[in-house]
Amino acid sequence: MKYILIFLLFIIVANYIKHSAITGDPELMLYVDLFSEEIKQPNQVNISFVDEIKDDDPIYKIIGSCNIFLFYKSIIIDRQNFLEASKIERKALLYHELAHCICDLDHNNLQEMECHYSLMNELLPSQYCLEKHWDRYIKILKHSCNND
């Protein structure tokens, strides 16, 4: 009986977390809403700025991270890098992290000529590539997120 009560409590808490209100910085939430509309995925994720993302990689600086614990999903974004980025770079960063958290996508490091094949590369595409291939990047995300 004790284990059944614990299990039921777990289900109740998990359901609450899964359906709890989405919170986050208003500027970041604009991109979350755009992602939800454009990719056709619900946006059950908390998102916030941090001053620095701790990482041991000496070569590349981590500027965004998706964290999942049970049903709780959160994204943290390095504030300074976000503020220095162009609008399309901001959108690409948020879409990349949202695709990790909401669509459960992993990195895809395929390269096509001078540009990354998709937004799910470990490194964000350059401004030039984002502008040149944005429609393709979105088409790939829609397909991957919706298992089309």
Side-chain angles (χ1 to χ4, degrees):
M1 183 69 168
K2 177 180 172 182
Y3 293 109
I4 292 173
L5 289 174
I6 291 171
F7 179 73
L8 288 174
L9 181 62
F10 174 78
I11 296 294
I12 291 168
V13 170
N15 196 41
Y16 171 75
I17 291 171
K18 187 175 180 182
H19 295 99
S20 64
I22 301 158
T23 60
D25 183 279
E27 184 172 7
L28 293 175
M29 291 309 295
L30 291 173
Y31 293 99
V32 172
D33 292 340
L34 282 172
F35 178 88
S36 181
E37 290 172 21
E38 200 163 12
I39 307 301
K40 307 295 186 230
Q41 288 291 316
N43 53 8
Q44 295 293 327
V45 66
N46 291 295
I47 187 165
S48 60
F49 282 122
V50 293
D51 291 327
E52 182 180 6
I53 299 174
K54 303 287 186 216
D55 185 54
D56 296 330
D57 190 332
I59 299 173
Y60 300 109
K61 180 171 176 34
I62 304 291
I63 58 175
S65 178
C66 162
N67 304 290
I68 301 173
F69 179 73
L70 298 175
F71 297 103
Y72 181 77
K73 299 176 181 184
S74 68
I75 294 174
I76 54 173
I77 301 294
D78 180 284
R79 180 188 320 272
Q80 189 63 37
N81 278 282
F82 184 83
L83 295 176
E84 291 172 358
S86 69
K87 285 189 179 202
I88 197 164
E89 289 169 329
R90 291 176 181 187
K91 192 173 185 180
L93 170 61
L94 268 294
Y95 277 35
H96 174 96
E97 296 306 333
L98 287 162
H100 280 311
C101 269
I102 294 173
C103 303
D104 198 30
L105 297 183
D106 292 324
H107 287 134
N108 172 346
N109 291 325
L110 295 175
Q111 191 80 10
E112 183 179 271
M113 302 296 278
E114 78 278 10
C115 295
H116 303 316
Y117 178 72
S118 79
L119 286 179
M120 295 314 296
N121 193 289
E122 287 179 310
L123 304 174
L124 284 179
S126 67
Q127 173 91 21
Y128 166 79
C129 292
L130 288 170
E131 290 171 357
K132 182 176 180 183
H133 300 295
W134 185 257
D135 290 339
R136 182 187 73 199
Y137 292 153
I138 295 305
K139 184 178 180 180
I140 291 169
L141 270 186
K142 279 183 188 177
H143 173 77
S144 299
C145 286
N146 295 302
N147 297 316
D148 292 341

